[in-house]
């Protein structure tokens, strides 16, 4: 256990940008979440204060192939800066090419790399959370990204899990290797791939990594199970990590960032919006997302997954809930919003865990994957990625 953290005295996290140091203050980062952290969602979160907001993950290969959908996925929101993009690649050359493209075309200010995906269709091919086990391949990918980003002054960071399973943890070695290669920070979601979202993020492992990386001077960001401003403070206090990464806690609750800013500044204030206010956020989310997709139909389809999160804990008739989950136009949404009866925020339920809770399972790996960690694996799977 690290000594207690005094709110208001938490050091900002420095992101070394080409234009100078950017202070992430307080050191709170929106986690990349595939299918969620697009520009509209980031805008809603950014408006609540806090530091840095990472894009949905895009595959490096899709980026260099200039697939229109991928190019749209890295577009910043209005006034968004620094622009932070998460890349996924299993190939050092493809990673290098993607980072170079981002640098040459000034497409982002910060690049994060995904080594945490536990989804079977990715780990089956050796990607995501399975990849750091092949230590030479991991170092080659990280090294090529850092090297390619350097001439453009773009900081590169990595995000990882503990490893494949409790018998094959990789985070200590992989994080040290990434630190030695020059990443700006290491973010740790302290679960193994086998755990998926089961159990609790192992904050003690975050503390161990903080100690392990201390001699390198590279900060560790902690991730997993922050549902309130106080949780954010507790993670810093218990682990000594330099900042926190927020995923599921802000689903349907972008104001969690406001609570985190308050908690980190020592202000005792928790935002508890009435349903009338949540209604306005839902409407704004809809407008932003329709504009982003340039399609009312597509935007509303994408919005559906957020509806249950916004309404979680409120007293809403099940038929009305169902209709929110099938919304297909802005006028339909507005009509549904008018049918919501105003009520106070359901504090007891609203602050409980939300989003994915999938149970653990054995990780599917390529044949013989665990035989030799030094083998320079040759894998091809970037098209298979779907986030996570
Ligand atoms: C819907 C969803 C999509 C995700 N997509 C990604 C991703 O693309 N890249 C990534 O590194 N992590 C991804 N994650 C993992 C989160 O970034 C985060 O590590 C995880 O949710 C644990 O943090 P939390 O407890 O705050 O949610 C995803 C998580 C969820 C719930």
């Amino acid at each position: 256990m690290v000594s207690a953290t005094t709110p208001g005295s938490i050091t900002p996290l420095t992101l070394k940008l080409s234009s100078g140091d950017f202070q992430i203050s307080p050191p709170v980062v929106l986690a990349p979440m595939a299918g969620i952290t697009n520009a509209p969602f980031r805008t809603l979160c950014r408006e609540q204060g806090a530091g840095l907001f990472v894009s949905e993950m895009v595959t490096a290969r899709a980026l260099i192939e200039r697939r229109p959908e991928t190019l749209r996925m890295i577009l910043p929101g209005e006034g968004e800066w620094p622009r932070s993009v998460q890349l996924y690649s299993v190939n050092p050359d493809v990673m290098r090419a993607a980072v170079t493209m981002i640098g040459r075309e000034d497409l982002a200010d910060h690049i994060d790399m995904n080594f945490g995906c536990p989804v079977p269709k990715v780990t089956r091919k050796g990607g995501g959370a399975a990849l750091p086990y092949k230590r030479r391949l991991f170092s080659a990918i990280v090294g090529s990204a850092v090297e390619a980003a350097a001439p453009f002054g773009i900081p590169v960071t990595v995000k990882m899990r503990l490893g494949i399973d409790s018998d094959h943890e990789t985070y200590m070695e992989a994080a040290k290797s990434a630190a030695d290669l020059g990443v700006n920070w290491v973010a740790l979601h302290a679960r193994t791939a086998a755990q998926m979202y089961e159990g609790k993020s192992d904050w003690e492992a975050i503390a161990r990594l903080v100690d392990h990386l201390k001699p390198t001077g590279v900060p560790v960001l902690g991730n997993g199970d922050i549902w309130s401003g106080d949780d954010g403070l507790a993670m810093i206090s218990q682990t000594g990590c330099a900042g926190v990464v927020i995923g599921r806690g802000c689903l349907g609750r972008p104001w969690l960032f406001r609570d985190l800013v308050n908690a980190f500044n020592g202000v005792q204030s928790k935002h508890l919006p009435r349903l009338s206010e949540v209604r306005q956020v839902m409407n704004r989310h809809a407008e932003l997302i329709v504009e982003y997709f340039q399609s009312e139909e597509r935007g509303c389809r994408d919005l559906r997954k957020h509806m249950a999160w916004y309404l979680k804990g409120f007293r809403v008739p099940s038929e009305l809930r169902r209709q929110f989950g099938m919304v297909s136009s802005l006028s339909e949404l507005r009509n549904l919003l008018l049918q919501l009866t105003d009520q106070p925020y359901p504090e007891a339920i609203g602050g409980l865990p939300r989003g994915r809770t999938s149970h653990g399972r054995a990780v599917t790996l390529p044949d013989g994957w665990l035989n030799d960690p030094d083998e320079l694996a040759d894998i091809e799977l970037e098209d298979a990625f779907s986030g996570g």
Side-chain angles (χ1 to χ4, degrees), residues 1 45 90 187 220 334 385:
M1 176 90 72
C45 295
V90 293
V220 172
R334 285 179 187 137
F385 193 98

Side-chain angles (χ1 to χ4, degrees), residues 168-189:
H168 302 91
E169 289 192 340
T170 49
Y171 70 109
M172 289 289 222
E173 182 182 329
K176 173 72 167 57
S177 147
D180 290 342
L181 288 163
V183 298
N184 203 118
W185 69 61
V186 175
L188 179 65
H189 176 195

Side-chain angles (χ1 to χ4, degrees), residues 114-239:
N114 181 338
F115 293 105
C117 182
V119 174
K121 73 176 174 189
V122 168
T123 57
R124 178 183 301 133
K125 302 279 183 74
L131 198 139
Y133 190 78
K134 297 292 189 196
R135 49 172 80 105
R136 290 174 60 200
L137 179 61
F138 174 80
S139 300
I141 294 170
V142 175
S144 65
V146 172
E147 223 175 84
F152 305 102
I154 297 176
V156 170
T157 60
V158 290
K159 180 162 175 289
M160 58 179 63
R161 286 194 177 226
L162 295 177
I164 294 174
D165 55 33
S166 53
D167 291 330
H168 302 91
E169 289 192 340
T170 49
Y171 70 109
M172 289 289 222
E173 182 182 329
K176 173 72 167 57
S177 147
D180 290 342
L181 288 163
V183 298
N184 203 118
W185 69 61
V186 175
L188 179 65
H189 176 195
R191 284 186 175 87
T192 63
Q195 284 178 287
M196 300 290 284
Y197 288 88
E198 193 169 87
K200 295 277 259 177
S201 173
D202 179 1
W203 291 8
E204 286 176 15
I206 297 173
R208 284 194 291 278
L209 187 62
V210 169
D211 280 346
H212 189 56
L213 289 200
K214 218 160 246 164
T216 69
V218 172
V220 172
L221 269 55
N223 175 228
D225 303 328
I226 292 176
W227 311 105
S228 68
D230 286 345
D231 286 347
L233 270 188
M235 182 186 271
I236 298 228
S237 148
Q238 287 175 29
T239 68

